Amino acid sequence: MNSDRSKGMTTIIDLAAACGVGLSTIRHYQNIGLIPKPARAQYGGFRRYTQEDIDRLNLIGEEM
């Protein structure tokens, strides 16, 4: 069985740390449609983010 991490997926906490933003910033960007809300993991129900989400969030940060 492959874990989410082995598929290049991460949690919101890891996403925030990788991009240097707070959790509330990520949630705000999701609510206004700048980044999509991710699917939930099969086990545990946690939302899982991909490298594409990291790239998109970094791009938003560069533009602001």
Side-chain angles (χ1 to χ4, degrees):
M1 174 173 43
N2 287 337
S3 70
D4 285 339
R5 284 188 187 258
S6 69
K7 295 177 188 174
M9 301 180 96
T10 188
T11 64
I12 192 170
I13 293 169
D14 294 333
L15 176 66
C19 298
V21 299
L23 301 178
S24 61
T25 299
I26 295 170
R27 291 186 182 117
H28 174 69
Y29 289 167
Q30 288 172 341
N31 288 335
I32 63 173
L34 288 178
I35 59 174
K37 291 182 181 180
R40 294 192 178 265
Q42 182 178 0
Y43 300 103
F46 294 102
R47 294 186 189 277
R48 305 304 280 187
Y49 297 84
T50 64
Q51 182 63 46
E52 183 178 323
D53 296 312
I54 293 170
D55 295 343
R56 181 174 293 167
L57 192 54
N58 282 329
L59 180 63
I60 293 168
E62 290 175 7
E63 295 297 321
M64 300 195 124

